[in-house]
Amino acid sequence: MGYRSLAYFIGRYPRFIMISWVFIIGISAAWAWKLPDVVQDHGLKRIHGDAHHIELILKENFGIPDDPIIVVYEKKTGSSPAEFRNWVGRHLQEVRTLPDLSTIISPLEAEGSTMMRDDTAYALLDFKVPAYRMNAPIEQLRSLDTTDDHGNIRLTGKPVVQQDVNRLSFRDLERAEMVGLPIALLILCFAFRGLYAALAAVIMGVIGVVTAIGLTSLIGHYVELSNFVINVIPMVGMALSIDFALIILSRYRDEMQVCKHDHGQSSDEIIQRTLRTAGRAVLFSAACVLLGLLSLVWIRLPMFLSVSLGAMTVLIISVLINVTLLPAILTLYAQRIFKRKKQNSISTPPRKPSIWLQWFGTVMKQPVRMTLLGTGILLFCVLPVQQLEMAIPDATSLPATIESRQAAEDVQKVFAQKDIASVDILIGGTGERITASHWNTALRKVRELQRDENVLQIESVWGVDQKYRPGQDRTRLTESASSELILHESLLSMYVSEDAIRMVATIRGAPGSEQAADWLNKMNDRDAQLRVQGIPIRYGGEAASQVEIMQEILRQLPKVMLFVIVSNYIVLLAAFRSLLIPIKAILMNMLSLTASFGVLVLVFNQGHLGMEPSAIAIMIPVFIAGLVFGISMDYGVFMISRIQEIYRLTGDSDLAVMQGLASTGRLVTSAAAILLAVTIPFAFGDVEGVKQLGVGITAAVLIDVTVIRLLLVPALMKLMGKWNWWLPGQKT
């Protein structure tokens, strides 16, 4: 009844539907251009974690910026140290005139500053501006007169790095569209043997992406958006919208061919039958994608929430335009779109044996051998997964030629910040005034850190205990802890507030390394008893933040996978009325996903195919799992739906499998090729995370459409025979 009512409405009011969509698209396009200015950083920050809470306290109580802009000064040859210092001072005086500046931490403020060394110095700047509004302060900084014979100035820090990531991500998107859309159009021309139907499908893709970007930009005023949505929305939206349009258009043309000699057949009835078959497949595949994206909400990090919202928005828009706007266009212009007099349906088996019929016939004659072959290929790709190395993205995700990355690496190199991490330790910070118990705990903690061989330096109200100096051989470190600790009253404002005592420990191991994570976990275990006694002691800084992020993702990942598997099984059970087909489909998807992770390890972790060896961004495997698990169901649902149709007509499982797979061969290949055309250009992007996402999705789709669809699906369905369609209480 639903399909009939929708078909009736579309048939009676096609122009109204088209005008309504033109209005929606116009408004969305106006908002779409604002998305790069609305998105914030990568969104990998635990809002309710200790590290984030400490950031807020340090900024409020001690004036320490959480994500400062770093201004790096480099002395030119021939300039004296005094001239260099004077030049840095003059530039910082100009910086103080900038609007919205709240804090400057200068390398000139104290003798022997650790922020000035040899020919390099750096200053930290904090602005009273939200993270996603930092473009203006950064441009104002760059506009200051920096022409001088004494040195060069470069900017880095998280706000600058994120501005570069956003800019390059948008450039990657434009490049991908310029390459992907023409290729997708060529694929569609081949699929439909005509230009107009191909253009209709591409137009659906463009409309879906533009509308979704506009709506997401509007959402960004109320929800923190990760910069990843700039690439995820077009990638997902273009692939899904075009694939859905391909399915609807091909089925509509089939129905026109079937009813070619039935002069009493109305357009409403053709639309109704199209929506009841292809439309139903689109809805079920969209449900699988939606549930895969919805599962990301389990991970309580802004990135996963924003990407989930953005991708779900483009998915819903893609479904709506393909079940309303596209049928409305077909109602008015179907004869012009499918104007060829003689057409071979791309989804009906030809009279002569096609290449698809021959291939699937060969596979089904030797199902055991083909199953073993396909499983062997997958296992070969799965083996490298055990060497998977992940990390939180930082400045190294940018190309080596970008200024903000170069400046960050120079600061690490010159100031010996490589392979070490700075950890903020906060005792108290609950709003209650500090007591003698807090002081005693802080004193014990300092002495404990002095005895720790993994601690290189301790900064506290008792002064700086530096056990390691740049250039010193770390294998010859000796403890320099004094037996008596003397309180430095001059440091009280830096390390003590009304409700908290802070100290800073420099430890071995870069943020995100196992060494730093093990140290933090060991400290938290030791301090568990103190927390029980009511003395809160917490750890912050980049290393602690990364440990919290990793733990959050790894802790929630089983829930994500369980939700995806169970929910997709229920949807597929409702779609196919079979207990076994959903299990097989889910297992095949999981195998192809795991195999794609193995490809990521080979390409990025191990540096094959000319790539620089690097860690895989922590969110990439999760995104690939959430996106591809549902997206690969797109053409899979359509393919199995066609097999089911034939089985219900003939009752012959082998015939249904062979004819169903052969009749959808070109369609499935075209749908997968469109996915590849849209995602492959992202694999050549400038931002490392975008590149990894493109390679991962490309690998997953290639494995799915070759090993899974061409080998394992026909072989396993042949082996299972009538048990494919088994339900309790139903005869097989």
Side-chain angles (χ1 to χ4, degrees), residues 423-425 427 442 445-446 449 459-460 495 501-505:
V423 178
D424 293 297
I425 305 172
I427 298 166
K445 177 56 66 175
V446 170
L449 295 174
E459 302 170 43
S460 70
Y495 296 102
I501 303 171
R502 70 176 280 256
M503 58 191 72
V504 182

Side-chain angles (χ1 to χ4, degrees), residues 114-162:
T114 58
M115 299 170 66
M116 178 175 285
R117 184 166 294 134
D118 301 330
D119 296 338
T120 307
Y122 69 92
L124 305 179
L125 312 181
D126 191 39
F127 289 82
K128 295 178 289 186
V129 176
Y132 61 93
R133 299 291 187 191
M134 285 299 297
N135 286 355
I138 292 172
E139 293 308 316
Q140 290 167 355
L141 266 174
R142 286 178 170 146
S143 67
L144 293 178
D145 184 15
T146 59
T147 56
D148 200 286
D149 294 332
H150 300 304
N152 297 316
I153 297 175
R154 292 187 293 179
L155 302 182
T156 187
K158 283 188 179 181
V160 183
V161 170
Q162 286 307 317

Side-chain angles (χ1 to χ4, degrees), residues 390-404:
M390 296 185 291
I392 307 296
D394 55 17
T396 58
S397 64
L398 293 168
T401 56
I402 299 299
E403 176 187 294
S404 58

Side-chain angles (χ1 to χ4, degrees), residues 636-702:
V637 168
F638 182 76
M639 181 178 67
I640 298 176
S641 296
R642 182 55 62 93
I643 296 172
Q644 187 183 42
E645 283 183 46
I646 299 174
Y647 177 73
R648 287 178 176 174
L649 290 174
T650 64
D652 187 329
S653 180
D654 289 352
L655 179 65
V657 171
M658 188 178 298
Q659 288 193 356
L661 291 174
S663 65
T664 56
R666 184 184 292 176
L667 178 63
V668 169
T669 304
S670 300
I674 289 167
L675 269 173
L676 293 174
V678 172
T679 56
I680 285 177
F682 287 96
F684 297 93
D686 291 321
V687 180
E688 193 72 8
V690 173
K691 188 183 300 183
Q692 292 171 357
L693 187 63
V695 169
I697 293 180
T698 298
V701 172
L702 273 175

Side-chain angles (χ1 to χ4, degrees), residues 258-572:
V258 170
C259 303
K260 188 175 182 181
H261 302 291
D262 186 357
H263 301 289
Q265 188 74 29
S266 67
S267 175
D268 291 358
E269 290 173 320
I270 295 177
I271 292 175
Q272 181 183 331
R273 296 227 297 257
T274 300
L275 293 177
R276 190 171 60 244
T277 52
R280 181 176 180 272
V282 165
L283 290 176
F284 276 113
S285 61
C288 291
V289 180
L290 182 68
L291 292 167
L293 296 170
L294 190 61
S295 67
L296 299 179
V297 179
W298 283 100
I299 303 175
R300 297 165 297 177
L301 296 170
M303 166 177 279
F304 295 95
L305 174 61
S306 62
V307 168
S308 178
L309 285 175
M312 284 192 290
T313 300
V314 74
L315 170 66
I316 293 170
I317 295 296
S318 299
V319 173
L320 289 176
I321 61 174
N322 279 291
V323 298
T324 59
L325 178 59
L326 184 57
I329 293 172
L330 290 173
T331 299
L332 296 175
Y333 306 109
Q335 295 300 326
R336 184 175 299 177
I337 291 174
F338 303 114
K339 66 177 184 177
R340 291 185 58 179
K341 295 181 179 179
K342 295 182 180 180
Q343 301 188 53
N344 288 323
S345 171
I346 65 171
S347 56
T348 301
R351 293 179 180 176
K352 294 182 179 180
S354 68
I355 186 173
W356 303 109
L357 203 60
Q358 294 175 19
W359 170 259
F360 291 122
T362 301
V363 172
M364 293 177 69
K365 286 178 182 177
Q366 39 191 349
V368 176
R369 184 178 299 178
M370 292 299 179
T371 300
L372 292 175
L373 175 62
T375 304
I377 295 172
L378 288 178
L379 289 177
F380 175 79
C381 295
V382 167
L383 285 177
V385 172
Q386 58 187 340
Q387 301 173 7
L388 180 65
E389 179 188 347
M390 296 185 291
I392 307 296
D394 55 17
T396 58
S397 64
L398 293 168
T401 56
I402 299 299
E403 176 187 294
S404 58
R405 173 178 173 175
Q406 293 175 342
E409 290 175 340
D410 286 348
V411 168
Q412 285 185 344
K413 181 180 178 181
V414 173
F415 295 92
Q417 295 178 359
K418 190 174 180 61
D419 298 325
I420 63 173
S422 180
V423 178
D424 293 297
I425 305 172
L426 201 69
I427 298 166
T430 59
E432 300 178 0
R433 298 183 68 88
I434 57 176
T435 63
S437 297
H438 292 86
W439 281 105
N440 290 333
T441 300
L443 189 59
R444 286 197 299 270
K445 177 56 66 175
V446 170
R447 286 173 172 160
E448 177 189 335
L449 295 174
Q450 287 176 331
R451 295 190 298 270
D452 193 328
E453 63 179 9
N454 289 310
V455 177
L456 306 177
Q457 177 176 293
I458 309 158
E459 302 170 43
S460 70
V461 71
W462 290 283
V464 177
D465 180 10
Q466 188 173 17
K467 298 190 285 183
Y468 160 73
R469 293 174 176 80
Q472 180 181 353
D473 184 357
R474 296 187 185 184
T475 62
R476 300 180 181 177
L477 288 176
T478 58
E479 288 192 7
S480 62
S482 58
S483 58
E484 297 293 332
L485 293 174
I486 301 173
L487 191 73
H488 293 262
E489 293 188 7
S490 61
L491 300 177
L492 277 172
S493 62
M494 294 177 61
Y495 296 102
V496 182
S497 68
E498 290 186 356
D499 70 332
I501 303 171
R502 70 176 280 256
M503 58 191 72
V504 182
T506 302
I507 66 171
R508 298 176 188 270
S513 67
E514 288 187 15
Q515 189 174 13
D518 290 343
W519 186 88
L520 284 163
N521 290 330
K522 181 180 69 175
M523 288 294 109
N524 278 308
D525 291 341
R526 286 182 182 177
D527 298 334
Q529 187 61 36
L530 289 174
R531 297 189 183 96
V532 172
Q533 296 172 2
I535 306 297
I537 178 167
R538 290 169 292 182
Y539 297 84
E542 187 64 25
S545 177
Q546 292 201 19
V547 169
E548 288 184 0
I549 291 167
M550 291 281 192
Q551 289 176 344
E552 171 66 15
I553 293 175
L554 295 176
R555 188 184 301 120
Q556 301 300 332
L557 203 54
K559 297 179 183 177
V560 171
M561 295 308 300
L562 181 63
F563 177 81
V564 171
I565 291 170
V566 172
S567 59
N568 271 258
Y569 180 82
I570 293 172
V571 171
L572 295 176

